[in-house]
Amino acid sequence: MATDQTANDAKLRDYLKKVTTELRQARQQLADGEARRHEPIAVIGAACRLPGGVASPEDLWQLVAEGRDALGEFPTDRGWDLDALQDPDPERPGSCYARRGGFVDDAGGFDAAFFDISPREALAMAPQQRLVLETAWEAVERSGIDPGTLRGTRTGVFTGADDQDYAALLAGTATDLHGYIGTGTLSALISGRVSYALGLEGPAVTVDTACSSSLVAIHLAAQALRRGECTLALAGGVAVMSTPTVLTEFSRQRGLAPDGRCKAFAAGADGTGFAEGAGLLMLERLSDARRNGHRVLAVVRGSAVNQDGASNGLTAPSGPAQQRVIRQALADAGLSAADVDAVEAHGTGTTLGDPIEAEALIATYGAEHSAERPLWLGSLKSNIGHAQAAAGVAGVIKMVEALRRGELPRTLHVDEPSSHVDWSAGTVELLTEHRSWEGEGPPLRPHRRGPPRPGPPPRRRPGTRHGRRRRRRARPADHPLRLRTPGRRARHRARRLPPLPARPRRGPHRPVHRDRHPHRCRTGGVLVHGAGCAAGGDGA
């Protein structure tokens, strides 16, 4: 009897040990899943083409640091009838009373041979497809990865884009382009063509949510990375005005600033000014970026998306909806409003949208800031105009560069703050002067750029990202690139790519200098170490 009892006790102990082990494993799995669901997303590279001759994030920083206005005259190389287009009378159909905008240099230029695309097919491709292809290649290179090693990997492409007006220009073209026009003007192939050209097997998604398109693309990319749907992701947006339709439509609605300038949150705001461009981020889970030895420029801590619902009009923004989505993004990031130092705002310069946005920011951030430590508010649109589907990612790249340098560039064209906003509490202030970011908050406090309001309609995606300044000495670098075509070589001579990371790469991707193309050039650059960003405050 005693023997049987002893045996039963032993079985019970073994069973309890097994159950306890399984419970611990289940608890660990739940904890790992929760941690993955909120894991910060590292920005390991970026590339852009924007007005003012901006061909890299470094160019963009130089432009905003110098306080330059990138607007210019309407382009003369797009077949626009400028004499008929420009008219001070907004009532005349098909005309535009604004005379300036933000336009990308050589928007029609494309190195088709580099991507093994025939001249006929290239001509039928919308400029958005061409621009995203080149920007994607550069974003991968600037991440220190050989694009050729991504073939067959679960790398995703998430691109924001809006109107595809290039199709209208091809409607009456010669029949030798037929057969290419369908794929050349399909929105889905703005992202799909990148996946095809680089052999990427992760999700390929093109998003159109108007002004917020590129931010929603980043939001979706971050979700896909956390869910394991992809291991790397290119995310951003593109906009090119093949026709002046957006200009003539907003002119008829009297929504444009006569001088084309976005006077964000200013008393003199009199309308928006349109621009174009492209920008892409290379994103990776922070844990993977560390394991693979990738340089971390900043991290995306959280994001959220919502909709205005039934507001005062189809295109009218909703203040309460903006407040809700900001709070949702902060909650997703695990941050409070007090943790955020600066906001890169939508700030289009409209008399309706800007006051609503400013009031929403004051309502959500104001209570947790003070006149001694206000929330700083700025907008890249004051420099380059409203880049539409690329506007959000352009602002992200600006703030990544600001994090790296510990500086906040000023917002242009602010005569005085808008009288339609109650600024009296002093808890939210416009960046009317270039400021150092070093002295904000406690020592070594991570700098955080927190949810913008990407704009009306249809969806908004605010995001939070942060970084810690780490002082390092800049080092010159010189490294070779192998390029397929002489044309590509000539274009790269005019640009500077960042040097390869000093530490050896442990991941599956080869450094860019091993790419086996027949043409070679050397590009000199200066490495400016930016924000070492990480969850929990430790450096990456």
Side-chain angles (χ1 to χ4, degrees):
M1 193 71 178
T3 303
D4 291 342
Q5 183 62 41
T6 302
N8 289 336
D9 290 346
K11 289 180 180 179
L12 180 60
R13 281 195 302 271
D14 291 342
Y15 175 75
L16 291 175
K17 287 179 181 178
K18 179 181 179 183
V19 170
T20 302
T21 301
E22 290 176 349
L23 285 173
R24 287 174 178 167
Q25 292 173 346
R27 188 181 296 113
Q28 186 61 47
Q29 289 172 356
L30 288 172
D32 291 345
E34 185 66 16
R36 178 178 285 270
R37 193 168 72 86
H38 293 285
E39 181 176 5
I41 300 300
V43 180
I44 63 171
C48 60
R49 290 274 303 282
L50 295 166
V54 170
S56 69
E58 291 78 16
D59 288 348
L60 179 60
W61 178 254
Q62 185 174 3
L63 183 142
V64 297
E66 294 175 356
R68 285 192 279 123
D69 184 327
L71 301 188
E73 302 294 330
F74 288 172
T76 59
D77 59 353
R78 303 190 188 185
W80 298 1
D81 185 346
L82 298 183
D83 291 334
L85 174 63
Q86 296 176 332
D87 193 303
D89 181 10
E91 291 296 327
R92 190 169 75 80
S95 68
C96 174
Y97 60 81
R99 293 182 175 270
R100 296 173 68 82
F103 300 97
V104 171
D105 293 345
D106 191 24
F110 179 56
D111 192 350
F114 181 78
F115 294 101
D116 297 324
I117 295 173
S118 71
R120 280 176 53 208
E121 184 175 8
L123 186 59
M125 288 168 56
Q128 290 93 326
Q129 291 191 21
R130 306 177 208 160
L131 200 53
V132 165
L133 263 180
E134 293 192 332
T135 307
W137 186 278
E138 292 175 11
V140 175
E141 284 185 331
R142 294 177 64 86
S143 303
I145 297 172
D146 173 359
T149 63
L150 295 182
R151 186 167 299 276
T153 64
R154 289 186 298 116
T155 300
V157 184
F158 299 81
T159 309
D162 46 25
D163 297 334
Q164 302 299 300
D165 52 1
Y166 190 65
L169 297 179
L170 298 180
T173 58
T175 57
D176 61 349
L177 294 184
H178 291 182
Y180 292 117
I181 295 176
T183 54
T185 58
L186 190 64
S187 297
L189 287 185
I190 294 176
S191 53
R193 196 180 286 273
V194 174
S195 295
Y196 174 77
L198 300 183
L200 312 179
E201 298 181 3
V205 180
T206 303
V207 179
D208 183 358
T209 59
C211 310
S212 62
S213 296
S214 60
L215 294 178
V216 174
I218 295 170
H219 170 79
L220 295 176
Q223 287 186 328
L225 285 165
R226 291 185 179 117
R227 291 173 179 170
E229 296 170 355
C230 53
T231 54
L232 290 166
L234 286 160
V238 62
V240 179
M241 291 180 277
S242 299
T243 71
T245 300
V246 67
L247 299 171
T248 58
E249 284 296 304
F250 272 78
S251 180
R252 192 67 182 272
Q253 297 173 19
R254 293 172 173 78
L256 296 179
D259 60 3
R261 294 190 173 106
C262 295
K263 307 169 187 69
F265 308 107
D270 54 357
T272 195
F274 281 108
E276 59 188 17
L280 289 173
L281 307 177
M282 195 69 174
L283 303 177
E284 188 175 25
R285 288 191 300 272
L286 182 60
S287 58
D288 289 346
R290 286 169 165 167
R291 182 172 58 254
N292 294 332
H294 292 150
R295 182 178 57 166
V296 178
L297 307 178
V299 297
V300 177
R301 285 289 300 267
S303 60
V305 173
N306 79 348
Q307 224 277 350
D308 287 334
S311 61
N312 291 332
L314 181 62
T315 60
S318 165
Q322 293 175 27
Q323 294 180 41
R324 286 193 297 271
V325 78
I326 291 171
R327 292 190 176 104
Q328 290 165 8
L330 288 170
D332 186 57
L335 301 174
S336 71
D339 292 323
V340 177
D341 297 324
V343 165
E344 169 64 21
H346 190 48
T348 59
T350 59
T351 55
L352 174 64
D354 278 14
I356 292 175
E357 180 180 8
E359 293 289 358
L361 291 167
I362 291 171
T364 49
Y365 289 105
E368 298 193 46
H369 284 77
S370 64
E372 291 72 31
R373 195 180 73 82
L375 178 82
W376 295 106
L377 184 62
S379 177
L380 176 62
K381 293 180 182 65
S382 70
N383 299 91
I384 67 170
H386 187 347
Q388 305 173 79
V393 70
V396 172
I397 294 173
K398 166 194 165 182
M399 293 307 291
V400 168
E401 293 300 307
L403 284 168
R404 295 179 62 197
R405 291 164 171 79
E407 298 176 27
L408 291 169
R410 72 184 179 100
T411 296
L412 308 184
H413 315 310
V414 179
D415 49 356
E416 59 183 58
S418 171
S419 59
H420 300 293
V421 178
D422 181 7
W423 307 96
S424 59
T427 56
V428 177
E429 289 193 21
L430 297 181
L431 280 162
T432 55
E433 298 293 337
H434 193 103
R435 296 181 58 87
S436 169
W437 207 348
E438 296 286 355
E440 301 295 327
L444 287 181
R445 176 177 181 272
H447 295 321
R448 294 182 174 102
R449 175 269 191 202
R453 203 279 301 172
R459 297 183 179 89
R460 281 182 298 279
R461 178 269 174 197
T464 63
R465 69 195 139 271
H466 76 123
R468 174 169 296 162
R469 293 286 302 163
R470 301 172 71 183
R471 294 185 178 275
R472 298 183 185 176
R473 194 182 306 173
R475 298 181 301 170
D478 189 18
H479 63 278
L481 294 175
R482 295 183 183 271
L483 309 170
R484 279 198 187 121
T485 64
R488 183 77 173 175
R489 178 178 58 187
R491 295 180 70 172
H492 266 285
R493 282 200 184 109
R495 304 183 188 181
R496 292 187 304 174
L497 293 179
L500 301 178
R503 53 184 166 177
R505 194 161 308 286
R506 296 184 294 274
H509 313 301
R510 296 200 310 265
V512 295
H513 69 281
R514 295 183 185 173
D515 198 11
R516 303 197 180 280
H517 298 328
H519 299 281
R520 299 183 66 197
C521 69
R522 300 188 72 85
T523 60
V526 176
L527 171 60
V528 181
H529 289 276
C533 309
D538 56 330

